[in-house]
Amino acid sequence: MTDDIPELSAADFERSISAQVRRRVAEGRIESGSDIVAIRRFVGLTAVDFAHAFGITLETLHDWEAGRSRPDGPALSLMRVAARHPRAVRENVSSAA
């Protein structure tokens, strides 16, 4: 029975974020650019791929991550989805091409 449970890799641990941050972002409450960085790492995408999946420029993503601006509207909705379903965002990278 335990054979069905895969071992967590170092990459899995590297992508992990606190439940508090994940819950807050899932509720649409982004407090800082570090929340954006945490979600991007949680999803497991490079900055380029994350921007591509969100349909934004890399410059916009850098502004979010630096705290100069915050996602709103559809981008905030997708950020909320990313906090709940990171795989859906990863899969969007190939379909957005």
Side-chain angles (χ1 to χ4, degrees):
M1 178 137 181
T2 57
D3 294 338
D4 298 308
I5 302 171
E7 276 296 320
L8 293 175
S9 68
D12 292 327
F13 284 109
E14 188 175 307
R15 288 196 320 256
S16 67
I17 59 175
S18 74
Q20 180 183 19
V21 170
R22 188 173 176 200
R23 189 176 310 113
R24 194 167 17 85
V25 173
E27 293 171 355
R29 296 182 295 120
I30 295 172
E31 293 183 355
S32 68
S34 63
D35 288 350
I36 305 298
V37 173
I39 290 297
R40 179 172 58 78
R41 288 183 179 153
F42 177 66
V43 171
L45 293 176
T46 65
V48 170
D49 286 341
F50 194 80
H52 186 71
F54 272 66
I56 60 171
T57 65
L58 189 56
E59 181 179 330
T60 296
L61 177 60
H62 288 170
D63 285 345
W64 290 354
E65 290 184 347
R68 291 186 290 268
S69 63
R70 293 185 182 182
D72 60 3
L76 182 57
S77 295
L78 187 53
M79 192 69 62
R80 293 175 70 190
V81 169
R84 289 184 178 102
H85 309 286
R87 184 176 174 183
V89 177
R90 283 193 302 271
E91 290 170 353
N92 191 48
V93 172
S94 58
S95 67

